[in-house]
Amino acid sequence: MGMNQTPASERVHISFFGKRNAGKSSVINAVTGQDLAIVSSVRGTTTDPVYKTMELLPLGPVMIIDTPGIDDEGELGALRVRKSYQVLNKTDIAILVVDSTTGKGEEELALIHRFHKKGIPYLVVYNKIDLLSGEGIKDLAMSVRPGEVLVSAADGMNIQELKEKIATLKPEDTHKYPLLQDLIEPLDLVILVVPIDKAAPKGRLILPQQQTIRDILERGALSLVVRDTELKSTLDHFLAQGVCPKLVVTDSQAFARVSKDVPENITLTSFSILFSRYKGELETQLEGVAALSSIQDDDRILIAEGCTHHRQCGDIGTCKIPNWIRNYTGKKPVFEFTSGTEFPDDVSSYKMVVHCGGCMLNEREMKYRIACCHDQGVPITNYGLLIAQVTGILKRSLGPFPEMQKLV
C-alpha cells in the first residue's frame, strides 16, 4: 500500500455473490470496465475470494470482492462456500448475481436472509437477460422488486443503471469516533514515537502511523515523528522553549521506555489504543484485559492479527506478547495464532483473545470479531491495552479518554 493510496480498510467493500456460472465475474468486469475477474464457461472458476482495490465512480475508492459459487459441491466446495460466507463479515454492499434463466433458488434465498441478519445493504442482479426471449424479459421485468435490476454483462445492458443503484447504497461514515481529531486542536503539537528496529518495514511507515499523521494534518495540528531513542532529548528541547506537546502517541512495544521519558503532565497513548476506539469498541476491549488476572496453566489464548506478514525473531504477536503474558501471570497458557482473514467463528474454547489494532481490517469486520467473542462470553482485548497493563501504565495510557480511565 503506497502512502498516496486510500488504505484497503478505509474503502467501501463491495462483494459479489451467486451460484457458479451465474456470471458474477462477468458482471464485475462490466461494472468496473476492466478485466478484473477471470471469466470462463467452466463452473467454479473462482475458487477463492479475489480482492481488487480500485476507483469506481461515483463511489470513489472501493474494494471489489469476487467470491466462489455458493452452490459449490464436495469437500473442497464446502470450504469454498465457507470462504464466501466469511466475506460477509467485511462486506459494506452485497451484490447477489442470479442467472435470469433459472431464477432464485434456495441458496440465493438463504444468502438474502444472511444479508438481512447482518444488516448489509444489497442488490439482486438478474444477469444473462440477453438469453431470454422478449416475452421472458417482459415477464421478469414485471416481477422485479425494489433493489433488483435486470442486466446483461455480455452486451452491457443496464450496467450503468446497476452502477447508479450501487452508489445509492454507499454507507455513510460509520465510525463513532475519529482516529484522534477530537482529541486535539489546530496547531497542537503531537509527537509520534516510531521505533526503528528489525521489524520496521524498510523505507516506509506502517499503516497506523500513516493514518495518524493524515488525521493530524486534517485537524490542522502539527505532527513530529521521532524514534524512541531521540524522544527524551526532543521533549527536553521543546519544554526548554516553553512548548508542551498536547499528546504523545507511541508504538505499544515501546510503552515501558516511552512512559519513563514522557513527563506525567503530558498525555500518552499508543497507536493500537487509538485504533481500538476507531475500529472497534474500546470499552469492551478494556474490560477484556482484566482476564489476565485469572489466567491459569494450559488455558488457551488466541492471538489474532488482521494482516499477514513475515514473522521474524522477536515478532510481537508470536514472541513478545506470549512472553509478556507468561511473565505477568506467572502461568504457562497455551497460545494459538491466526492472521489475515482467518478468524474462527467458534472462540468458546479460549480463555481470552488478544487482537492487534486491526488497521488492515475494515470497521465491519473488526466489530464482527469483537461480537463473536462477546456473544460467546470470551474476553477480547487489544495489543496496546494488554502491553499497557503488563507494564503498569494502563490508566495513564488512557489519558485521552477520561471516561475510560474511570473504569480502571
Side-chain angles (χ1 to χ4, degrees), residues 190-243:
V190 181
I191 294 182
L192 308 178
V193 184
V194 179
I196 301 297
D197 54 22
K198 288 189 295 184
K202 188 172 181 61
R204 66 181 177 90
L205 298 176
I206 62 174
L207 188 55
Q209 298 157 3
Q210 295 178 32
Q211 288 188 254
T212 303
I213 292 171
R214 173 59 187 263
D215 221 47
I216 294 170
L217 285 171
E218 289 185 359
R219 186 60 173 143
L222 313 175
S223 63
L224 177 65
V225 183
V226 301
R227 297 183 297 183
D228 54 329
T229 48
E230 281 74 50
L231 175 62
K232 188 176 188 307
S233 59
T234 300
L235 286 170
D236 290 344
H237 171 77
F238 278 108
L239 293 174
Q241 306 300 316
V243 178

Side-chain angles (χ1 to χ4, degrees), residues 69-108:
I70 56 173
D71 62 333
D72 213 336
E73 300 169 335
E75 186 176 347
L76 282 178
L79 292 174
R80 292 166 184 162
V81 172
R82 181 171 176 269
K83 289 276 189 181
S84 290
Y85 279 122
Q86 284 180 332
V87 169
L88 287 171
N89 301 326
K90 64 186 72 178
T91 298
D92 296 310
I93 299 173
I95 309 298
L96 175 58
V97 180
V98 178
D99 186 336
S100 63
T101 66
T102 58
K104 285 183 289 194
E106 291 183 5
E107 293 91 347
E108 287 93 348

Side-chain angles (χ1 to χ4, degrees), residues 40-251:
S40 171
S41 60
V42 178
R43 288 164 62 84
T45 299
T46 303
T47 58
D48 284 292
V50 177
Y51 297 78
K52 178 66 177 180
T53 58
M54 64 176 300
E55 301 285 325
L56 180 64
L57 296 177
L59 280 171
V62 299
M63 172 74 80
I64 299 291
I65 308 175
D66 187 11
T67 65
I70 56 173
D71 62 333
D72 213 336
E73 300 169 335
E75 186 176 347
L76 282 178
L79 292 174
R80 292 166 184 162
V81 172
R82 181 171 176 269
K83 289 276 189 181
S84 290
Y85 279 122
Q86 284 180 332
V87 169
L88 287 171
N89 301 326
K90 64 186 72 178
T91 298
D92 296 310
I93 299 173
I95 309 298
L96 175 58
V97 180
V98 178
D99 186 336
S100 63
T101 66
T102 58
K104 285 183 289 194
E106 291 183 5
E107 293 91 347
E108 287 93 348
L109 294 174
L111 197 52
I112 289 173
H113 175 72
R114 293 209 183 197
F115 295 159
H116 285 288
K117 187 176 180 180
K118 290 180 175 289
I120 302 172
Y122 70 94
L123 292 172
V124 176
V125 178
Y126 288 94
N127 187 30
K128 302 184 181 180
I129 61 171
D130 55 293
L131 301 182
L132 298 179
S133 65
E135 196 65 29
I137 294 176
K138 183 178 178 181
D139 290 343
L140 185 56
M142 291 288 289
S143 66
V144 166
R145 303 174 181 178
E148 298 183 342
V149 59
L150 312 183
V151 308
S152 169
D155 59 23
M157 185 183 299
N158 294 339
I159 292 298
Q160 185 58 38
E161 177 188 350
L162 172 58
K163 291 172 68 172
E164 292 171 358
K165 285 183 178 291
I166 293 174
T168 66
L169 299 181
K170 181 178 180 180
E172 298 296 325
D173 187 0
T174 57
H175 291 290
K176 185 176 180 180
Y177 299 103
L179 186 52
L180 82 165
Q181 286 190 43
D182 61 328
L183 307 177
I184 56 178
E185 300 294 337
L187 299 183
D188 277 345
L189 174 62
V190 181
I191 294 182
L192 308 178
V193 184
V194 179
I196 301 297
D197 54 22
K198 288 189 295 184
K202 188 172 181 61
R204 66 181 177 90
L205 298 176
I206 62 174
L207 188 55
Q209 298 157 3
Q210 295 178 32
Q211 288 188 254
T212 303
I213 292 171
R214 173 59 187 263
D215 221 47
I216 294 170
L217 285 171
E218 289 185 359
R219 186 60 173 143
L222 313 175
S223 63
L224 177 65
V225 183
V226 301
R227 297 183 297 183
D228 54 329
T229 48
E230 281 74 50
L231 175 62
K232 188 176 188 307
S233 59
T234 300
L235 286 170
D236 290 344
H237 171 77
F238 278 108
L239 293 174
Q241 306 300 316
V243 178
C244 184
K246 177 67 176 289
L247 178 65
V248 173
V249 183
T250 182
D251 186 297

Side-chain angles (χ1 to χ4, degrees), residues 348-368:
S348 58
S349 63
Y350 295 107
K351 186 61 179 284
M352 71 181 300
V353 175
V354 184
H355 206 291
C356 69
C359 68
M360 296 299 292
L361 305 177
N362 65 354
E363 183 185 11
R364 180 181 285 272
E365 182 166 13
M366 190 65 231
K367 288 190 172 180
Y368 161 78

